[in-house]
């Protein structure tokens, strides 16, 4: 199937988005390696990963936890992880009572232990409830 002239700009833009993301990860490689080592240490001490985000980022949170709880790599051990975004009743109940900004912070206060880790996922890094959840953690 030939690539039409209208597809060239879209394909080029898609590659640029991935290239920028890849370069950003490479630039933070040392920090990421330190975070991975700290995560491994916390898992060894019995900690769990608590992940949350809004909308599509909530779906990403669920995907991350599935990768830890049900690894696709045969033989890899499972690691405890929880997606706070998955509990619609709690998210909407807390939001209705305390406001959306507290949806994840409330759950972090109830679920998290000192050895646990929190991962907030946000498209732009400015989601108030994700930031409050991370602050609480």
């Amino acid at each position: 199937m030939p690539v039409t002239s209208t597809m060239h700009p879209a394909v080029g833009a898609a590659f640029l988005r991935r290239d920028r993301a890849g370069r950003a990860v490479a630039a933070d490689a040392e920090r990421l390696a330190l975070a991975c080592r700290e995560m491994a240490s916390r898992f060894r001490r019995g900690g769990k990963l608590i992940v949350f985000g809004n909308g599509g980022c909530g779906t990403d949170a669920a995907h991350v936890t599935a990768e830890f709880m049900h690894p696709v790599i045969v033989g890899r051990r499972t690691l405890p992880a929880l997606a706070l975004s998955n509990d619609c009743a709690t998210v909407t109940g807390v939001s209705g009572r305390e406001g959306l900004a507290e949806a994840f912070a409330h759950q972090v206060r109830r679920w998290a232990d000192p050895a646990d880790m929190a991962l907030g996922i946000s498209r732009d890094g400015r989601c108030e409830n994700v930031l409050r959840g991370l602050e609480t953690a």
Side-chain angles (χ1 to χ4, degrees):
M1 165 187 241
V3 177
T4 66
S5 61
T6 58
M7 290 178 69
H8 283 286
V11 170
F15 276 107
L16 281 176
R17 281 193 308 275
R18 282 154 183 82
D19 183 60
R20 280 193 296 267
R23 288 179 191 276
V25 168
D28 281 336
E30 188 174 328
R31 288 177 56 199
L32 288 169
L34 289 171
C36 290
R37 281 194 290 275
E38 179 61 24
M39 286 179 74
S41 173
R42 287 174 177 263
F43 279 126
R44 277 193 301 277
R45 292 194 315 260
K48 64 187 166 293
L49 178 62
I50 299 173
V51 192
F52 45 90
N54 294 310
C57 294
T59 302
D60 291 340
H63 183 112
V64 168
T65 60
E67 292 292 340
F68 280 85
M69 294 293 292
H70 182 68
V72 295
I73 300 170
V74 175
R76 196 179 119 212
R77 78 177 202 152
T78 62
L79 296 167
L82 172 69
L84 301 182
S85 315
N86 285 356
D87 188 349
C88 181
T90 299
V91 170
T92 58
V94 171
S95 296
R97 189 179 62 245
E98 298 178 34
L100 183 60
E102 290 300 309
F104 302 130
H106 173 89
Q107 293 183 78
V108 167
R109 282 192 293 275
R110 292 341 183 251
W111 287 110
D113 294 315
D116 293 343
M117 301 148 279
L119 172 61
I121 303 175
S122 169
R123 241 184 114 222
D124 61 8
R126 295 187 303 232
C127 292
E128 186 178 5
N129 59 356
V130 172
L131 293 171
R132 286 280 305 123
L134 290 171
E135 289 168 5
T136 301

